[in-house]
Amino acid sequence: MLSVENLSTTYQAPGAKPVLAASNINFSVPTGRLFTLLGPSGCGKTTTLRSIAGLERPSKGVIKAHDTVVYSSAGNIFVAPNHRQFGMVFQSYAIWPHMTVFQNAAFPLQVQKKRLSSKDIRDKVMKVLAAVSLDHVEEREATRLSGGQQQRLALARALVMEPRLLLLDEPLSNLDAKLRDKMRFELKKMQRELGLTTIYVTHDQSEALALSHEIAVMNEGKIVQIGSPRDIYERPANTFVADFIGTTNFVEGTVRGGADDRLVVDTRIGQLNVNAQPGISIGANVSLSIRPEDVHLSDTAPAPSSNSLFVGTVRAKVFLGECQDFKIDVNETQLLARAHPSVRTLVGEQIHIAIDPEKCTVLAA
Amino acid sequence: MAVTTPDGSTVHTSLVQGWGRSFDMKWVVIGLCISVVAWLALIPLGFLIWQSFASTSTAQVPAVFTLENYATAFGTTDSLGLMFNSLKFAFGTAAFALVLGTFFAWVNERTNTPFKSLFFAMSIVPLIIPGILFTVSWIMLASPQIGIFNQIFRDWFGLATPLFNIYSLTGMIWVDGLHYAPIAFLLVTAAFRSMDPSLEESALMSGASVIQVAFKITLKLAWPAILAAFLILFVRGIESFEVPALLGLPVGLRVYTSAIYDAVHSYPSDIGLASAYAMALLLITSLGIYYQSRLSSQGSRFSTVTGKGFRPRVSDIGRWRYATAGIFILYCIFVVALPFLVLLWASLQKYYAAPSWAALHNLSFAAYGEVLAYPGFYGVVWNSAKLAIGGATVVMLLTSVICWITIKTKIPGRWVLDMLASLPLVFPGIVLGLSLMIFYLNFDIGIYGTLWIMLMAYVIKFLPYGMRYNSTSMIQIHKELEESAAMSGASWFTIFRRIVLPLLKPGLMAGWIYIIVVSVRELSSSILLYSPGNEVISIMIWEFWQNGQYIELSAFGVMMITALFGFLMVVQTLSKRFGVKDV
């Protein structure tokens, strides 16, 4: 397992003001889990990963891997990256162009402290190359591999040393879209089978949602939310997360009243029923996040229920096959909606909207 | 141009006329440049080849075809020794400089060694301490007779025989290698900087130590660049004149460059033999440059440039950083502090004496006064200034047109022009001097024995530098910038003057300054071309040395180093303001 406590990393470019690239990062990853650092570029996710790797020297905090402290500012401990035994896959793959496939994968075994016989090295390397299905090209020059093969070789090289932790820095971002989808499944399968504790860095939210046990969303050097993929998507902690993960409608409003576990919010599109939320009291200004797929559309008026009901005008629609995207005006506010292809209302006509209180996320404005 | 009528067809016609006129002008300038370059680069070379097959002509006997020069140059055991010496010296110099330079490049780029800001400052040292002064200062430090090191060891440890002998092959390699190390440093640094840092980081993450990463990844990846650097240094070594002439000749240790000088300056001078030696030298440098350019052009397999802006990672090498800093400081002492201080010391004496308490009482500035009052001193400085500024200006303007032709046009055969302008790379200075001397002695157009022939030598010698500075800038100028000027109705000449030259300015200025600095130190071509009355600074130093005027030489040397240093500092400050590229 890995635990990161109060980690901060500062960049000091010569002659420039120090930049706090990652500040006060806290998280822990149980053994065998895949933990993703997700955020836009410049949010500090790569800095955090490189600090865990030991490629950057943090300015304060503690990093523990399997109860071994690899960094502690208070204890003045800094284990050099080559002594941490963490496998890492770089965004550019960093395949050494002067070596063959086999030599690339064998390198970690050849340089490690524990001497292995060349037969042992060969066995281990061939096993791991077989696992990423590169065993048939072991003698090929590494530069003559395709992008996907290079990516798998980089993974093999990281795995051959039986790392205590696997670090992946945007490993799929250099592949074309189709290959990326395929590798996403392979990576997930391999991680689950090997049970390797893995830290994954990406800016691609769908990748993060598809692969992770847990996600930390980062912005401006800080973690803004940690949770399971479902948590992050369905219950974003703030407008940044709601906006960054997927598409959403933000509706501003003021809490008018409430009973039991329900609140009523006055907004420009009308009154909305939402679930009560700790810390949100009557009179507060809030922002409601409603995913397009949670804006239910129907050609005729639905039966009354706890759902909030509205009538809007279809401004535009796009037919996508398995679904349709709508732009709907409700009291001069535009809502995005994703609906089943069976909805037949035409552009310019009136349409009925129902919103489930469960699906409205209340965020402090 | 008839632009007054708003009628479309008239405007169209005027444009065509404008193009027609500029077309003519363009060809005049291009033709002129091509013929000048061909004349500069080819004729002396061709004449040199012819001369190497000719017997010595006297008043009675005209020159006839002979192979005797080659027989003498290659057919004797003596001449085999000469070739062997040349190769050993060049190889040793290149290897020593490369090991030092590569080590410093690695220390500077990849470790947390202190005093890093000094490393790049060091790389301008060969620019401000000319080879001849550097060699002289090392004679004062390590000659068996007057060398300070030997005196110290004799006085302190009672050694009977001198410990160091600078007049030896080892001494020559030591001095030249120290002096060329900064070139190796810059070349290898460039290779290290173009490397994707994640290649090394991934080795580190694989568990490799800092040293394992350096040897198994960094050096292996930079290997083609390091090999190319070796060839460049090898060619520099084989062309080197000052060190073999001052350290080798006194003990009969001859290499090709010093043998050429010897053959010309012996009586009667043997031009044919000198030409044959020059041909051997040309063959070696051509091979070196050829393989170097092949190596540079085929580096694709190892191309590791990703264009991604990572900050290069610096390894903590713990206590070793004091050792690496120590080695660097020792190098600084050997290459700057000691040579400059020994010259400074000598310049303050009345008669040359090694540093001691007794000699400390004899300090005086008399030598400086003597140099300033030396007959012809101001003339010499003025000559150098005229040659440096004139040569730099001609080279930069000429090469700007050549680069425009080779990069911006599709004229068939433009590669020939590129090759011609780069050809002088293979001319060692002394060979260039020799070929110009022979040619203009035979075809007297009145420039032999004047400053003009030296200007010509400088222009030829520094043509490739001008090409390098101008072509890097020229590539960056987008074709459309010129095309839009043409569409605005400008002629070719106007476009070149108003658009191309101003955009080239950063590279143009940097090259101009660099050529000025290297012109002032030029010795190996000038030595065969000067005549009494038109000496230049480097020749004056050479004459001081030949006359045994060490005190005056030192005073002159200190002034020259200070002036060059001051010039570069001023340039550095100005260039920051005007955006001139680094020299």
Side-chain angles (χ1 to χ4, degrees):
Chain A
M1 66 147 253
L2 171 81
S3 87
V4 174
E5 294 160 27
N6 300 320
L7 179 80
S8 296
T9 303
T10 315
Y11 279 147
Q12 176 69 73
K17 267 206 327 210
V19 180
L20 194 59
S23 84
N24 211 18
I25 305 291
N26 282 287
F27 63 86
S28 69
V29 185
T31 306
R33 290 307 174 106
L34 192 150
F35 185 87
T36 297
L37 295 166
L38 172 68
S41 55
C43 72
K45 56 191 192 302
T46 297
T47 302
T48 306
L49 187 79
R50 289 170 64 84
S51 301
I52 295 168
L55 294 171
E56 302 291 345
R57 202 183 180 117
S59 39
K60 72 179 181 45
V62 177
I63 302 171
K64 265 190 279 188
H66 299 284
D67 299 324
T68 319
V69 177
V70 293
Y71 173 73
S72 160
S73 54
N76 204 16
I77 297 169
F78 179 81
V79 177
N82 49 327
H83 296 141
R84 292 191 182 189
Q85 215 194 328
F86 295 171
M88 183 159 174
V89 174
F90 289 79
Q91 189 177 12
S92 65
Y93 312 139
I95 298 298
W96 299 307
H98 60 301
M99 298 182 188
T100 63
V101 170
F102 180 86
Q103 286 168 335
N104 262 282
F107 185 86
L109 299 178
Q110 287 161 347
V111 295
Q112 72 181 11
K113 283 256 158 54
K114 200 177 79 192
R115 291 271 161 226
L116 290 175
S117 71
S118 54
K119 190 186 166 298
D120 285 351
I121 290 181
R122 181 147 200 99
D123 290 348
K124 281 180 182 245
V125 171
M126 289 317 288
K127 213 174 108 191
V128 76
L129 284 182
V132 297
S133 29
L134 283 178
D135 44 342
H136 61 293
V137 290
E138 49 150 332
E139 287 308 318
R140 197 177 289 181
E141 301 223 357
T143 45
R144 317 193 73 169
L145 296 182
S146 68
Q149 287 175 319
Q150 288 198 16
Q151 198 270 342
R152 281 180 292 167
L153 176 56
L155 187 62
R157 189 175 62 189
L159 294 176
V160 76
M161 61 198 278
E162 290 160 17
R164 299 192 296 173
L165 188 67
L166 182 63
L167 306 175
L168 305 172
D169 185 6
E170 309 224 8
L172 303 181
S173 66
N174 279 346
L175 302 177
D176 60 65
K178 226 173 188 159
L179 199 54
R180 193 154 54 212
D181 287 346
K182 181 167 164 268
M183 289 308 295
R184 191 184 290 172
F185 280 107
E186 283 191 22
L187 207 58
K188 183 169 185 173
K189 185 168 143 262
M190 193 167 272
Q191 193 272 334
R192 300 297 194 266
E193 279 172 5
L194 295 172
L196 260 175
T197 315
T198 304
I199 312 293
Y200 191 98
V201 161
T202 184
H203 65 269
D204 182 333
Q205 36 123 351
S206 56
E207 221 169 274
L209 296 173
L211 285 170
S212 320
H213 290 109
E214 209 169 26
I215 297 174
V217 182
M218 291 188 71
N219 186 31
E220 291 176 346
K222 294 188 178 69
I223 292 182
V224 288
Q225 187 176 2
I226 296 185
S228 69
R230 193 167 275 274
D231 275 349
I232 298 271
Y233 189 78
E234 292 182 348
R235 281 181 290 283
N238 53 40
T239 51
F240 173 80
V241 177
D243 195 29
F244 185 71
I245 312 281
T247 320
T248 196
N249 294 292
F250 285 118
V251 182
E252 318 281 314
T254 312
V255 181
R256 272 289 156 253
D260 303 333
D261 53 350
R262 286 286 155 88
L263 293 174
V264 178
V265 181
D266 256 357
T267 71
R268 292 185 64 175
I269 63 169
Q271 284 200 337
L272 271 157
N273 299 321
V274 301
N275 278 354
Q277 190 112 346
I280 305 283
S281 49
I282 293 172
N285 288 324
V286 295
S287 183
L288 303 178
S289 163
I290 308 159
R291 300 281 179 196
E293 63 269 28
D294 295 328
V295 178
H296 289 288
L297 301 181
S298 49
D299 300 330
T300 53
S305 65
S306 63
N307 291 353
S308 320
L309 302 177
F310 307 96
V311 176
T313 314
V314 177
R315 279 287 157 243
K317 70 173 186 174
V318 180
F319 180 69
L320 294 169
E322 75 265 28
C323 60
Q324 312 185 76
D325 281 352
F326 282 82
K327 278 186 183 167
I328 299 160
D329 274 357
V330 187
N331 295 339
E332 291 172 359
T333 301
Q334 197 166 66
L335 284 183
L336 299 174
R338 175 161 281 195
H340 193 267
S342 61
V343 177
R344 297 279 174 188
T345 308
L346 299 175
V347 172
E349 292 180 351
Q350 301 247 304
I351 196 162
H352 296 273
I353 299 168
I355 296 172
D356 184 350
E358 292 286 336
K359 304 289 185 179
C360 288
T361 309
V362 186
L363 304 165
Chain B
M1 280 192 281
V3 282
T4 40
T5 25
D7 174 40
S9 63
T10 315
V11 173
H12 186 73
T13 321
S14 75
L15 255 176
V16 170
Q17 278 170 358
W19 267 106
R21 264 214 321 263
S22 66
F23 189 76
D24 291 341
M25 187 64 199
K26 178 161 94 177
W27 286 107
V28 170
V29 177
I30 290 172
L32 209 64
C33 283
I34 293 176
S35 33
V36 166
V37 171
W39 169 55
L40 286 176
L42 283 184
I43 289 184
L45 182 68
F47 204 76
L48 183 74
I49 296 172
W50 180 73
Q51 193 69 37
S52 69
F53 289 105
S55 66
T56 315
S57 64
T58 59
Q60 292 81 36
V61 196
V64 291
F65 177 84
T66 176
L67 286 175
E68 202 179 314
N69 296 320
Y70 283 93
T72 325
F74 298 104
T76 64
T77 46
D78 202 33
S79 62
L80 275 181
L82 181 65
M83 186 197 299
F84 211 56
N85 273 345
S86 303
L87 293 178
K88 268 200 292 193
F89 168 63
F91 190 89
T93 299
F96 180 44
L98 192 65
V99 168
L100 275 179
T102 306
F103 175 73
F104 290 141
W106 179 75
V107 166
N108 185 40
E109 291 294 312
R110 297 293 194 261
T111 73
N112 62 339
T113 301
F115 310 119
K116 273 211 215 163
S117 51
L118 273 178
F119 278 73
F120 272 94
M122 277 302 300
S123 60
I124 63 159
V125 163
L127 278 182
I128 58 171
I129 306 186
I132 182 164
L133 288 176
F134 190 69
T135 316
V136 166
S137 66
W138 268 97
I139 293 175
M140 292 178 179
L141 288 171
S143 100
Q145 292 83 35
I146 58 166
I148 294 169
F149 287 166
N150 285 318
Q151 292 187 10
I152 288 173
F153 275 89
R154 194 185 57 210
D155 296 348
W156 292 3
F157 303 102
L159 294 181
T161 51
L163 194 59
F164 306 102
N165 183 7
I166 203 74
Y167 295 110
S168 64
L169 195 60
T170 323
M172 284 160 63
I173 290 172
W174 169 260
V175 173
D176 234 15
L178 278 183
H179 206 222
Y180 285 152
I183 299 173
F185 168 77
L186 290 178
L187 291 170
V188 178
T189 295
F192 282 181
R193 286 201 173 165
S194 69
M195 209 178 278
D196 177 359
S198 66
L199 290 167
E200 288 163 72
E201 287 171 352
S202 60
L204 214 53
M205 293 308 294
S206 301
S209 68
V210 172
I211 293 297
Q212 279 173 320
V213 174
F215 278 95
K216 292 189 178 217
I217 307 293
T218 317
L219 284 182
K220 288 263 173 68
L221 285 173
W223 186 242
I226 290 175
L227 210 60
F230 177 83
L231 287 170
I232 291 173
L233 291 164
F234 180 83
V235 170
R236 290 270 190 142
I238 205 118
E239 292 179 357
S240 176
F241 173 71
E242 289 91 334
V243 167
L246 295 187
L247 299 181
L249 279 185
V251 290
L253 196 79
R254 298 178 339 141
V255 299
Y256 279 128
T257 51
S258 51
I260 292 171
Y261 175 76
D262 228 16
V264 174
H265 276 251
S266 58
Y267 189 81
S269 63
D270 196 341
I271 301 293
L273 182 64
S275 306
Y277 284 149
M279 292 309 295
L281 204 49
L282 271 181
L283 191 70
I284 297 172
T285 54
S286 307
L287 280 177
I289 297 288
Y290 171 71
Y291 280 112
Q292 185 258 323
S293 66
R294 255 193 37 175
L295 211 56
S296 313
S297 62
Q298 57 153 216
S300 57
R301 187 168 82 91
F302 281 63
S303 85
T304 45
V305 189
T306 57
K308 206 172 175 280
F310 272 123
R311 302 172 317 131
R313 201 192 115 78
V314 157
S315 291
D316 187 351
I317 54 169
R319 255 175 258 154
W320 285 101
R321 69 183 189 273
Y322 300 116
T324 50
I327 295 173
F328 178 67
I329 288 169
L330 203 63
Y331 173 76
C332 291
I333 290 173
F334 278 152
V335 87
V336 190
L338 284 178
F340 184 73
L341 287 178
V342 77
L343 287 178
L344 189 65
W345 169 262
S347 72
L348 296 174
Q349 298 287 303
K350 284 203 186 76
Y351 309 100
Y352 183 72
S356 65
W357 284 116
L360 205 57
H361 297 292
N362 295 330
L363 294 187
S364 87
F365 285 100
Y368 289 89
E370 265 175 60
V371 169
L372 291 175
Y374 202 76
F377 170 80
Y378 295 101
V380 166
V381 173
W382 181 228
N383 282 346
S384 272
K386 277 191 288 191
L387 283 176
I389 293 171
T393 310
V394 172
V395 166
M396 291 318 291
L397 288 181
L398 189 59
T399 51
S400 67
V401 179
I402 298 168
C403 281
W404 184 84
I405 296 170
T406 56
I407 291 169
K408 296 287 172 196
T409 71
K410 298 271 178 281
I411 298 172
R414 62 190 184 284
W415 62 272
V416 177
L417 194 58
D418 193 16
M419 201 198 67
L420 280 179
S422 310
L423 191 64
L425 269 184
V426 304
F427 294 165
I430 192 118
V431 173
L432 183 64
L434 179 71
S435 58
L436 284 178
M437 183 188 88
I438 304 171
F439 184 70
Y440 291 103
L441 265 174
N442 283 277
F443 291 90
D444 190 9
I445 54 167
I447 67 168
Y448 183 79
T450 67
L451 278 184
W452 291 105
I453 194 168
M454 292 170 81
L455 179 71
M456 188 177 285
Y458 289 13
V459 168
I460 298 173
K461 188 169 181 180
F462 301 131
L463 215 48
Y465 297 166
M467 288 296 286
R468 202 187 57 201
Y469 276 102
N470 270 329
S471 64
T472 41
S473 319
M474 188 68 84
I475 289 167
Q476 292 165 5
I477 300 178
H478 204 279
K479 188 78 188 149
E480 285 173 6
L481 295 174
E482 287 170 59
E483 286 168 349
S484 61
M487 292 314 287
S488 316
S491 69
W492 179 83
F493 194 70
T494 312
I495 295 171
F496 199 81
R497 198 170 48 85
R498 297 275 307 273
I499 310 289
V500 179
L501 282 183
L503 289 171
L504 275 183
K505 207 177 80 186
L508 214 55
M509 288 302 292
W512 190 71
I513 291 159
Y514 181 78
I515 293 173
I516 286 182
V517 174
V518 290
S519 297
V520 171
R521 325 169 299 163
E522 211 294 325
L523 175 69
S524 54
S525 297
S526 317
I527 194 91
L528 295 182
L529 296 175
Y530 82 97
S531 50
N534 60 26
E535 290 98 341
V536 291
I537 289 174
S538 56
I539 294 297
M540 191 164 164
I541 296 175
W542 174 265
E543 285 183 339
F544 277 141
W545 179 254
Q546 297 300 326
N547 300 338
Q549 293 168 286
Y550 301 159
I551 312 296
E552 290 81 356
L553 184 155
S554 303
F556 194 27
V558 169
M559 286 192 277
M560 183 179 177
I561 291 172
T562 318
L564 279 176
F565 182 70
F567 176 70
L568 281 178
M569 286 302 107
V570 169
V571 164
Q572 208 89 52
T573 326
L574 288 181
S575 64
K576 278 210 187 87
R577 201 174 307 164
F578 297 115
V580 174
K581 268 202 294 191
D582 274 342
V583 180

